[in-house]
Amino acid sequence: MDKIGVGYASVTDIEKKYVMDALDSQRLSQGKYVAKFEKMFANMHGHKYGVMCNSGTSALHLAILALKEKYNWEDDAEILVPAITFIATSNSVLHAGLKPVFVDVDIKSYNMDPDEIEKHITEKTRCIIPVHCFGMPCEMDRISEIAKKHNLRIIEDCAEAHFAKINGKTVGSFSDIMACSTYVAHTLTTGVGGVMCTSDTELSGMLRSLVAHGRACTCERCIASDGNQVCPKRLKTDMDRRFTFVRLGYSYRVGELEGALGLGQLERVDEIMGARHKNADYLIKGLEPLEKYIQLPRHPENIEHTYMMFPILVKSESPKSKNEIVKYLESKNIETRPMLPLLNQPIYKEIFGDIEKDYPNAEYIDNNGFYIGCHHGLGKDELDREIEALTEILTGGGYSYLK
Ligand SMILES: Cc1ncc(COP(=O)(O)O)c(C=O)c1O
């Protein structure tokens, strides 16, 4: 029986054509494909500038460092992050030398609960990082209002929600900087990779500098050129600006192959998203009879969920525990993953102590949440297998019994 994975990457002729073209051009460092991808991805998320980098974690790290520099944050600045997210979100705050402060999540959306934010704001708070988990957008109107009231910056972590929308407005466009992962199994993938988007010209320059060792030259022109032209700005100064370093930077770049792969994927966004929406609708319909036992990813009509995964929360009324359900699904070759437990991770217990109990919704999700796949590589047969297995374990009857 074929395995039903939680993630999927599909590479078609269009991606292959662009990657081959990049290879044939012999330009493997950043060039026209990276430039095109950055522009298109940023514009599709409501921003002027995009900067590609080697991971979502790097994107978050540099977003924090750029804001720290621009707004002169102190070294003990506090950054609010949700108590449920992939560990990279809060790790990036630690990597930047700042302090992550956790905010409990809403039990229905699994995202940072706006009602919980203000009680964690102190005079040291400088920024909020909402994470649109599993493809579900956060309540950005309320989060933006709170940020404005307390003069806080916002970085949206959109790693799991490329192209998700709130009232037709794409996630990422509610913040100073949007940070994103394009690692395999994310909705749009470049193999490994990340993107930072902003509409602030100064921030975009800082990001472009930080990503490339802290260099002075940050104009987009060098990246888009074919490598044969020398930008006139470069040699105007005594030292070539491209080899002048003005801040402590990193080597977080990617090259043309990732740019080419990303551009091909971008051109297929409607196809990829359409299949995910169709699959999620099918799963929700098929699992509806089990809703007294499990919580399904439902959302208001003004939200466009992108279902990077299909999260399931086991309710207290369920006759089976999460572990029993997960074991059963795995025995049927249906892959499952825990729903981003964070505060109970051994390393976080070591750093922050036993704080999970202060976050009751996150704690419930840590103990009772898991997700399965609903990606664009799955067809009706696989979705039926997922529905059938959940129905069997929760009711003792097969899917046909419910139909
Ligand atoms: C919410 C979130 N943020 C950040 C990241 C980190 O991305 P990467 O693995 O590309 O560093 C991930 C990765 O899965 C993620 O899910």
Side-chain angles (χ1 to χ4, degrees):
M1 200 190 298
D2 287 342
K3 183 165 183 163
I4 302 178
V6 292
Y8 176 68
S10 74
V11 175
T12 63
D13 286 348
I14 177 117
E15 288 94 339
K16 288 181 196 165
K17 185 175 141 209
Y18 290 163
V19 170
M20 283 314 295
D21 182 49
L23 285 171
D24 287 341
S25 77
Q26 310 269 345
R27 177 166 173 133
L28 300 185
S29 60
Q30 302 196 342
K32 66 176 183 186
Y33 281 111
V34 169
K36 266 193 199 165
F37 174 79
E38 289 181 337
K39 189 108 223 133
M40 214 168 141
F41 189 87
N43 292 165
M44 285 167 103
H45 289 90
H47 280 298
K48 269 201 211 157
Y49 310 104
V51 180
M52 260 188 117
C53 59
N54 60 3
S55 74
T57 311
S58 304
L60 285 160
H61 184 202
L62 299 191
I64 297 166
L65 291 181
L67 288 173
K68 181 174 188 274
E69 181 180 331
K70 175 162 173 155
Y71 293 99
N72 296 312
W73 294 347
E74 310 79 351
D75 287 333
D76 59 352
E78 294 174 3
I79 314 290
L80 302 182
V81 294
I84 289 285
T85 177
F86 185 61
I87 196 163
T89 313
S90 35
N91 277 356
S92 313
V93 179
L94 293 166
H95 293 322
L98 306 180
K99 183 179 172 198
V101 173
F102 302 98
V103 176
D104 206 1
V105 297
D106 177 79
I107 197 74
K108 289 244 155 59
S109 69
Y110 312 126
N111 285 330
M112 182 183 270
D113 182 349
D115 286 335
E116 291 289 311
I117 295 177
E118 281 189 297
K119 70 172 160 200
H120 295 286
I121 294 178
T122 70
E123 78 243 7
K124 291 183 177 168
T125 312
R126 296 289 172 264
C127 181
I128 311 179
I129 308 187
V131 183
H132 308 292
C133 285
F134 314 113
M136 170 74 181
C138 296
E139 285 185 64
M140 288 313 300
D141 288 352
R142 291 186 61 205
I143 293 175
S144 304
E145 231 169 72
I146 296 168
K148 199 167 166 206
K149 182 173 154 198
H150 296 274
N151 194 22
L152 306 176
R153 312 319 316 170
I154 301 179
I155 297 169
E156 281 171 272
D157 182 342
C158 300
E160 300 187 1
H162 316 155
F163 312 105
K165 293 192 178 76
I166 307 167
N167 293 323
K169 202 172 163 207
T170 321
V171 297
S173 59
F174 297 88
S175 46
D176 297 270
I177 306 176
M178 156 195 186
C180 207
S181 168
T182 54
Y183 186 66
V184 217
H186 287 248
T187 315
L188 176 148
T189 185
T190 59
V192 293
V195 198
M196 304 164 280
C197 301
T198 183
S199 294
D200 180 315
T201 311
E202 187 186 5
L203 284 175
S204 103
M206 287 172 171
L207 295 169
R208 213 169 266 301
S209 168
L210 281 164
V211 85
H213 306 285
R215 64 171 32 140
C217 170
T218 58
C219 68
E220 287 170 89
R221 187 179 165 149
C222 288
I223 293 174
S225 83
D226 60 7
N228 293 322
Q229 298 165 12
V230 176
C231 170
K233 278 194 204 159
R234 269 179 61 182
L235 301 175
K236 267 194 174 160
T237 43
D238 285 347
M239 252 164 92
D240 180 343
R241 274 170 63 76
R242 200 158 170 74
F243 298 95
T244 306
F245 301 97
V246 291
R247 54 175 62 76
L248 202 57
Y250 296 80
S251 182
Y252 281 175
R253 289 161 300 182
V254 281
E256 272 297 75
L257 302 187
E258 285 80 11
L261 196 45
L263 190 68
Q265 292 262 299
L266 267 187
E267 292 182 12
R268 295 177 49 225
V269 159
D270 290 345
E271 170 210 325
I272 293 171
M273 288 303 166
R276 280 178 183 264
H277 285 142
K278 205 165 129 230
N279 285 352
D281 289 348
Y282 190 85
L283 278 180
I284 289 176
K285 196 150 185 291
L287 295 170
E288 228 162 35
L290 305 175
E291 254 179 318
K292 53 182 176 297
Y293 304 136
I294 52 175
Q295 179 169 287
L296 302 175
R298 293 199 181 268
H299 55 85
E301 277 196 1
N302 65 329
I303 293 297
E304 204 173 298
H305 199 305
T306 51
Y307 300 104
M308 187 174 129
M309 311 89 164
F310 193 87
I312 290 176
L313 189 66
V314 180
K315 296 182 178 175
S316 55
E317 293 81 6
S318 169
K320 302 283 181 194
S321 69
K322 175 192 117 174
N323 283 345
E324 287 172 310
I325 298 170
V326 161
K327 274 191 192 145
Y328 188 73
L329 292 175
E330 295 280 351
S331 78
K332 296 279 175 183
N333 233 354
I334 298 167
E335 190 178 29
T336 63
R337 294 268 167 83
M339 234 157 89
L340 308 179
L342 182 68
L343 301 181
N344 59 0
Q345 295 295 345
I347 181 64
Y348 273 26
K349 282 190 173 171
E350 208 178 300
I351 299 173
F352 301 104
D354 190 16
I355 57 169
E356 192 193 26
K357 58 182 181 336
D358 302 329
Y359 298 85
N361 287 347
E363 188 177 30
Y364 188 85
I365 295 164
D366 291 344
N367 293 326
N368 298 286
F370 68 95
Y371 65 83
I372 56 174
C374 75
H375 53 77
H376 49 294
L378 301 179
K380 187 174 171 301
D381 287 353
E382 288 89 17
L383 299 172
D384 278 338
R385 266 175 58 203
E386 292 182 328
I387 296 167
E388 192 154 347
L390 279 160
T391 306
E392 277 164 8
I393 179 74
L394 285 166
T395 69
Y399 181 28
S400 53
Y401 150 87
L402 285 169
K403 273 205 257 191

Short mmCIF file of all heavy atoms in Angstrom, two decimals, residues 27-31 34 38 51-55 58-59 62 190 192-196 207-215 217 223 242-243 245 249-259:
data_model
loop_
_atom_site.label_atom_id
_atom_site.label_comp_id
_atom_site.label_asym_id
_atom_site.label_seq_id
_atom_site.Cartn_x
_atom_site.Cartn_y
_atom_site.Cartn_z
N ARG A 27 25.50 30.62 -15.40
CA ARG A 27 25.49 31.57 -14.28
C ARG A 27 24.73 30.92 -13.13
O ARG A 27 23.49 30.86 -13.15
CB ARG A 27 24.82 32.87 -14.68
CG ARG A 27 24.75 33.80 -13.47
CD ARG A 27 24.42 35.22 -13.80
NE ARG A 27 24.22 35.95 -12.55
CZ ARG A 27 24.75 37.12 -12.28
NH1 ARG A 27 25.52 37.70 -13.14
NH2 ARG A 27 24.48 37.71 -11.13
N LEU A 28 25.47 30.45 -12.17
CA LEU A 28 24.82 29.74 -11.07
C LEU A 28 24.58 30.64 -9.87
O LEU A 28 23.70 30.37 -9.05
CB LEU A 28 25.65 28.52 -10.65
CG LEU A 28 25.87 27.49 -11.76
CD1 LEU A 28 26.60 26.28 -11.23
CD2 LEU A 28 24.55 27.07 -12.41
N SER A 29 25.36 31.71 -9.75
CA SER A 29 25.07 32.66 -8.67
C SER A 29 23.84 33.47 -9.09
O SER A 29 23.37 33.35 -10.22
CB SER A 29 26.27 33.55 -8.41
OG SER A 29 26.58 34.27 -9.58
N GLN A 30 23.34 34.32 -8.19
CA GLN A 30 22.08 35.01 -8.45
C GLN A 30 22.08 35.77 -9.78
O GLN A 30 23.03 36.45 -10.10
CB GLN A 30 21.81 35.99 -7.33
CG GLN A 30 21.77 35.30 -5.97
CD GLN A 30 21.13 36.14 -4.91
OE1 GLN A 30 21.01 37.35 -5.06
NE2 GLN A 30 20.70 35.50 -3.85
N GLY A 31 20.99 35.64 -10.51
CA GLY A 31 20.88 36.31 -11.80
C GLY A 31 19.42 36.61 -12.09
O GLY A 31 18.64 36.88 -11.18
N VAL A 34 16.55 34.62 -10.07
CA VAL A 34 16.35 35.05 -8.69
C VAL A 34 15.63 36.40 -8.69
O VAL A 34 14.66 36.61 -7.95
CB VAL A 34 17.70 35.15 -7.93
CG1 VAL A 34 17.53 35.86 -6.59
CG2 VAL A 34 18.29 33.77 -7.71
N GLU A 38 12.00 36.96 -7.02
CA GLU A 38 11.86 37.87 -5.87
C GLU A 38 10.78 38.90 -6.13
O GLU A 38 9.93 39.16 -5.27
CB GLU A 38 13.20 38.60 -5.63
CG GLU A 38 14.27 37.70 -5.05
CD GLU A 38 15.60 38.42 -4.79
OE1 GLU A 38 15.86 39.47 -5.41
OE2 GLU A 38 16.37 37.92 -3.98
N VAL A 51 13.60 39.48 -1.18
CA VAL A 51 15.00 39.07 -1.12
C VAL A 51 15.02 37.58 -0.79
O VAL A 51 14.53 37.14 0.25
CB VAL A 51 15.78 39.85 -0.02
CG1 VAL A 51 17.24 39.40 0.02
CG2 VAL A 51 15.68 41.35 -0.24
N MET A 52 15.59 36.81 -1.72
CA MET A 52 15.67 35.35 -1.48
C MET A 52 16.81 35.03 -0.53
O MET A 52 17.83 35.72 -0.52
CB MET A 52 15.97 34.63 -2.80
CG MET A 52 14.77 34.03 -3.47
SD MET A 52 15.30 33.03 -4.88
CE MET A 52 14.74 31.42 -4.35
N CYS A 53 16.64 33.97 0.25
CA CYS A 53 17.74 33.53 1.12
C CYS A 53 17.65 32.00 1.24
O CYS A 53 16.81 31.38 0.58
CB CYS A 53 17.67 34.20 2.49
SG CYS A 53 16.14 33.91 3.37
N ASN A 54 18.50 31.42 2.08
CA ASN A 54 18.65 29.96 2.04
C ASN A 54 17.67 29.20 2.94
O ASN A 54 17.67 27.97 2.93
CB ASN A 54 20.10 29.56 2.33
CG ASN A 54 20.55 30.03 3.70
OD1 ASN A 54 19.77 30.61 4.45
ND2 ASN A 54 21.80 29.79 4.03
N SER A 55 16.86 29.89 3.75
CA SER A 55 15.87 29.17 4.56
C SER A 55 14.88 30.14 5.19
O SER A 55 15.14 31.36 5.27
CB SER A 55 16.54 28.35 5.67
OG SER A 55 17.00 29.21 6.70
N SER A 58 16.60 31.66 8.21
CA SER A 58 17.46 32.80 7.87
C SER A 58 16.60 34.04 7.60
O SER A 58 16.97 35.15 7.99
CB SER A 58 18.30 32.50 6.62
OG SER A 58 19.04 31.33 6.79
N ALA A 59 15.46 33.83 6.93
CA ALA A 59 14.58 34.97 6.61
C ALA A 59 14.12 35.65 7.90
O ALA A 59 14.15 36.88 8.02
CB ALA A 59 13.39 34.48 5.79
N LEU A 62 17.16 37.45 9.70
CA LEU A 62 17.56 38.72 9.11
C LEU A 62 16.46 39.78 9.24
O LEU A 62 16.76 40.97 9.41
CB LEU A 62 17.94 38.53 7.64
CG LEU A 62 19.12 37.60 7.36
CD1 LEU A 62 19.56 37.71 5.91
CD2 LEU A 62 20.30 37.88 8.29
N THR A 190 11.45 25.63 -3.35
CA THR A 190 12.66 25.80 -4.16
C THR A 190 13.70 24.77 -3.70
O THR A 190 14.89 24.99 -3.86
CB THR A 190 13.22 27.23 -4.02
OG1 THR A 190 13.52 27.47 -2.64
CG2 THR A 190 12.24 28.28 -4.50
N VAL A 192 15.52 23.95 -0.97
CA VAL A 192 15.73 24.69 0.28
C VAL A 192 15.56 26.16 -0.09
O VAL A 192 15.75 26.52 -1.24
CB VAL A 192 17.13 24.48 0.90
CG1 VAL A 192 17.32 23.07 1.39
CG2 VAL A 192 18.21 24.89 -0.07
N GLY A 193 15.22 26.97 0.87
CA GLY A 193 15.13 28.39 0.56
C GLY A 193 14.19 29.16 1.45
O GLY A 193 13.46 28.58 2.27
N GLY A 194 14.26 30.47 1.29
CA GLY A 194 13.38 31.36 2.04
C GLY A 194 13.27 32.68 1.29
O GLY A 194 14.04 32.94 0.36
N VAL A 195 12.31 33.49 1.67
CA VAL A 195 12.13 34.81 1.05
C VAL A 195 11.75 35.81 2.13
O VAL A 195 10.99 35.48 3.04
CB VAL A 195 10.99 34.83 0.00
CG1 VAL A 195 11.12 36.04 -0.92
CG2 VAL A 195 10.89 33.57 -0.79
N MET A 196 12.30 37.03 2.01
CA MET A 196 11.88 38.14 2.87
C MET A 196 11.27 39.19 1.96
O MET A 196 11.85 39.50 0.91
CB MET A 196 13.10 38.74 3.58
CG MET A 196 13.88 37.71 4.37
SD MET A 196 15.54 38.27 4.82
CE MET A 196 16.48 38.00 3.34
N LEU A 207 18.27 44.14 4.28
CA LEU A 207 18.12 42.69 4.12
C LEU A 207 19.07 42.18 3.04
O LEU A 207 19.73 41.15 3.18
CB LEU A 207 16.67 42.33 3.76
CG LEU A 207 15.61 42.63 4.83
CD1 LEU A 207 14.20 42.48 4.27
CD2 LEU A 207 15.78 41.71 6.04
N ARG A 208 19.14 42.94 1.94
CA ARG A 208 20.01 42.54 0.83
C ARG A 208 21.49 42.58 1.24
O ARG A 208 22.30 41.79 0.76
CB ARG A 208 19.77 43.48 -0.35
CG ARG A 208 19.93 42.81 -1.67
CD ARG A 208 19.44 43.64 -2.80
NE ARG A 208 18.06 43.39 -3.19
CZ ARG A 208 17.57 42.23 -3.61
NH1 ARG A 208 18.35 41.17 -3.68
NH2 ARG A 208 16.31 42.11 -3.95
N SER A 209 21.81 43.48 2.13
CA SER A 209 23.18 43.57 2.63
C SER A 209 23.46 42.43 3.61
O SER A 209 24.47 41.72 3.49
CB SER A 209 23.35 44.94 3.32
OG SER A 209 24.53 44.99 4.05
N LEU A 210 22.53 42.24 4.56
CA LEU A 210 22.73 41.20 5.59
C LEU A 210 22.87 39.81 4.98
O LEU A 210 23.60 38.97 5.48
CB LEU A 210 21.54 41.21 6.56
CG LEU A 210 21.56 42.31 7.63
CD1 LEU A 210 20.17 42.46 8.27
CD2 LEU A 210 22.60 42.01 8.70
N VAL A 211 22.12 39.56 3.88
CA VAL A 211 22.10 38.23 3.28
C VAL A 211 23.44 37.91 2.60
O VAL A 211 23.78 36.75 2.36
CB VAL A 211 20.90 38.12 2.30
CG1 VAL A 211 21.25 38.66 0.93
CG2 VAL A 211 20.35 36.73 2.21
N ALA A 212 24.20 38.96 2.29
CA ALA A 212 25.44 38.78 1.52
C ALA A 212 26.61 39.42 2.26
O ALA A 212 27.21 40.38 1.77
CB ALA A 212 25.28 39.37 0.12
N HIS A 213 26.88 38.94 3.45
CA HIS A 213 28.08 39.32 4.22
C HIS A 213 28.09 40.76 4.73
O HIS A 213 29.10 41.22 5.23
CB HIS A 213 29.36 39.08 3.40
CG HIS A 213 29.47 37.70 2.88
ND1 HIS A 213 29.81 36.63 3.69
CD2 HIS A 213 29.25 37.18 1.64
CE1 HIS A 213 29.82 35.53 2.95
NE2 HIS A 213 29.47 35.82 1.72
N GLY A 214 26.99 41.50 4.53
CA GLY A 214 26.95 42.89 5.02
C GLY A 214 27.51 43.87 4.01
O GLY A 214 27.95 44.97 4.36
N ARG A 215 27.44 43.52 2.72
CA ARG A 215 28.06 44.37 1.71
C ARG A 215 27.32 45.71 1.55
O ARG A 215 26.13 45.83 1.84
CB ARG A 215 28.17 43.66 0.37
CG ARG A 215 26.87 43.30 -0.26
CD ARG A 215 27.04 42.79 -1.70
NE ARG A 215 28.27 42.07 -1.94
CZ ARG A 215 28.38 40.97 -2.67
NH1 ARG A 215 27.29 40.45 -3.22
NH2 ARG A 215 29.53 40.40 -2.88
N CYS A 217 26.91 47.39 -1.34
CA CYS A 217 26.14 47.47 -2.58
C CYS A 217 24.88 46.60 -2.47
O CYS A 217 24.98 45.39 -2.30
CB CYS A 217 27.00 46.97 -3.73
SG CYS A 217 26.08 46.74 -5.24
N ILE A 223 21.97 42.16 -9.32
CA ILE A 223 21.44 40.80 -9.27
C ILE A 223 20.76 40.43 -10.58
O ILE A 223 20.91 39.33 -11.10
CB ILE A 223 20.48 40.69 -8.08
CG1 ILE A 223 21.31 40.84 -6.82
CG2 ILE A 223 19.71 39.38 -8.09
CD1 ILE A 223 20.56 40.90 -5.58
N ARG A 242 30.73 46.80 -4.01
CA ARG A 242 30.31 45.40 -3.89
C ARG A 242 31.22 44.63 -2.93
O ARG A 242 30.84 43.60 -2.40
CB ARG A 242 30.32 44.76 -5.28
CG ARG A 242 29.48 43.53 -5.37
CD ARG A 242 29.10 43.25 -6.80
NE ARG A 242 28.48 41.94 -6.90
CZ ARG A 242 27.26 41.65 -6.50
NH1 ARG A 242 26.52 42.59 -5.96
NH2 ARG A 242 26.77 40.44 -6.62
N PHE A 243 32.41 45.15 -2.75
CA PHE A 243 33.35 44.47 -1.85
C PHE A 243 33.71 45.35 -0.65
O PHE A 243 34.79 45.25 -0.09
CB PHE A 243 34.57 43.98 -2.63
CG PHE A 243 34.14 42.97 -3.66
CD1 PHE A 243 33.88 43.36 -4.97
CD2 PHE A 243 33.87 41.66 -3.29
CE1 PHE A 243 33.40 42.46 -5.90
CE2 PHE A 243 33.39 40.76 -4.22
CZ PHE A 243 33.14 41.15 -5.53
N PHE A 245 32.19 46.23 3.08
CA PHE A 245 31.23 45.62 4.02
C PHE A 245 30.94 46.60 5.15
O PHE A 245 31.86 47.08 5.81
CB PHE A 245 31.79 44.28 4.53
CG PHE A 245 32.03 43.34 3.37
CD1 PHE A 245 33.29 43.21 2.80
CD2 PHE A 245 30.97 42.65 2.79
CE1 PHE A 245 33.50 42.40 1.70
CE2 PHE A 245 31.17 41.83 1.69
CZ PHE A 245 32.43 41.70 1.15
N GLY A 249 27.43 40.85 8.40
CA GLY A 249 26.41 40.13 7.64
C GLY A 249 26.59 38.63 7.69
O GLY A 249 27.41 38.10 8.43
N TYR A 250 25.82 37.96 6.86
CA TYR A 250 25.79 36.49 6.84
C TYR A 250 25.93 36.00 5.41
O TYR A 250 25.73 36.76 4.47
CB TYR A 250 24.46 36.00 7.43
CG TYR A 250 24.33 36.39 8.88
CD1 TYR A 250 23.94 37.68 9.24
CD2 TYR A 250 24.68 35.50 9.89
CE1 TYR A 250 23.86 38.07 10.57
CE2 TYR A 250 24.61 35.88 11.22
CZ TYR A 250 24.20 37.16 11.55
OH TYR A 250 24.15 37.53 12.86
N SER A 251 26.20 34.72 5.25
CA SER A 251 26.21 34.15 3.91
C SER A 251 24.96 33.28 3.79
O SER A 251 25.02 32.07 4.00
CB SER A 251 27.49 33.32 3.70
OG SER A 251 27.49 32.83 2.39
N TYR A 252 23.84 33.93 3.54
CA TYR A 252 22.55 33.23 3.53
C TYR A 252 21.94 33.21 2.11
O TYR A 252 20.73 33.10 1.96
CB TYR A 252 21.57 33.97 4.46
CG TYR A 252 21.72 33.71 5.95
CD1 TYR A 252 20.94 34.42 6.86
CD2 TYR A 252 22.60 32.77 6.46
CE1 TYR A 252 21.04 34.20 8.23
CE2 TYR A 252 22.71 32.54 7.82
CZ TYR A 252 21.92 33.26 8.71
OH TYR A 252 22.01 33.05 10.06
N ARG A 253 22.77 33.38 1.08
CA ARG A 253 22.20 33.47 -0.27
C ARG A 253 21.84 32.11 -0.85
O ARG A 253 22.34 31.08 -0.41
CB ARG A 253 23.20 34.12 -1.22
CG ARG A 253 23.40 35.58 -0.98
CD ARG A 253 24.68 36.04 -1.62
NE ARG A 253 25.81 35.30 -1.04
CZ ARG A 253 27.06 35.49 -1.36
NH1 ARG A 253 27.37 36.37 -2.27
NH2 ARG A 253 28.03 34.78 -0.78
N VAL A 254 20.99 32.14 -1.89
CA VAL A 254 20.81 30.97 -2.75
C VAL A 254 21.25 31.38 -4.14
O VAL A 254 21.65 32.53 -4.36
CB VAL A 254 19.33 30.49 -2.82
CG1 VAL A 254 18.95 29.70 -1.61
CG2 VAL A 254 18.40 31.65 -3.07
N GLY A 255 21.15 30.47 -5.10
CA GLY A 255 21.60 30.78 -6.45
C GLY A 255 20.50 30.65 -7.49
O GLY A 255 19.32 30.53 -7.15
N GLU A 256 20.91 30.69 -8.75
CA GLU A 256 19.96 30.69 -9.87
C GLU A 256 19.09 29.42 -9.93
O GLU A 256 17.96 29.46 -10.41
CB GLU A 256 20.72 30.82 -11.19
CG GLU A 256 20.98 32.24 -11.60
CD GLU A 256 19.72 33.05 -11.86
OE1 GLU A 256 19.04 33.45 -10.90
OE2 GLU A 256 19.41 33.28 -13.04
N LEU A 257 19.64 28.29 -9.49
CA LEU A 257 18.84 27.05 -9.60
C LEU A 257 17.60 27.15 -8.73
O LEU A 257 16.49 26.78 -9.15
CB LEU A 257 19.68 25.82 -9.23
CG LEU A 257 20.94 25.62 -10.06
CD1 LEU A 257 21.60 24.29 -9.72
CD2 LEU A 257 20.64 25.68 -11.56
N GLU A 258 17.75 27.70 -7.52
CA GLU A 258 16.58 27.87 -6.65
C GLU A 258 15.64 28.92 -7.25
O GLU A 258 14.42 28.78 -7.19
CB GLU A 258 17.01 28.31 -5.24
CG GLU A 258 17.61 27.22 -4.39
CD GLU A 258 19.08 26.94 -4.71
OE1 GLU A 258 19.70 27.73 -5.44
OE2 GLU A 258 19.59 25.91 -4.22
N GLY A 259 16.22 29.98 -7.81
CA GLY A 259 15.39 31.03 -8.43
C GLY A 259 14.57 30.46 -9.58
O GLY A 259 13.37 30.74 -9.72
#
